[in-house]
Amino acid sequence: ARDLEFGLRRARAHGLQTKQVLTIAGDALFFREFDLPQVIGCFRKLESKAEKAEADPADVSLVLYYKLSEGEDSASRGMVDVDARSKRITGFVEKPQEANCPSSRLACPLFYILGTKAIALLEEFVSNIKPGTSQGERYSCGKFLESAHSRTALYGLRLPG
């Protein structure tokens, strides 16, 4: 999370606007059926829906998720609960032990589109990191989402498969 916030700060220092940011893990693999324009289109539709509902579109963020395969370990991923109707993320646990794993077994890879409000929450999250503290698991992007999912309109888009 600290690295992401640093990158956003650098972008602003060079005059770039940071109203939304697409964040992808460096080890992400994309398969032929992955459709980035569809993901961005879904985000734009969510913003539009928020605006029509007289909510703040800056509050909208989007994460991708997928169903874990049988026997796949949840302890190495962020796990989410998703409202079936609205697709809003109702729970997020970063790398849970099996006992604390959401029953949905929906995993969230590090692939997010963060809106303005989530970016502000990220800055707040990073500002609470004590100097000299190891970033490690406690200050990962997943830990950020775990703390922020209930404070912003975080939605999910299920990956195929």
Side-chain angles (χ1 to χ4, degrees), residues 66-67 158-161:
Y66 65 95
K67 181 92 169 160
R158 187 170 180 158
L159 290 167

Side-chain angles (χ1 to χ4, degrees), residues 11 16 19 25-26 36 53-54 76 82-83 86-87 89 102 123 128 130 143:
L16 298 173
K19 293 189 325 186
L36 182 58
E54 297 184 13
S76 64
V82 181
D83 180 273
S86 71
K87 303 302 180 203
I89 302 298
E123 291 166 348
N128 289 325
K130 306 281 187 272
K143 281 295 185 187

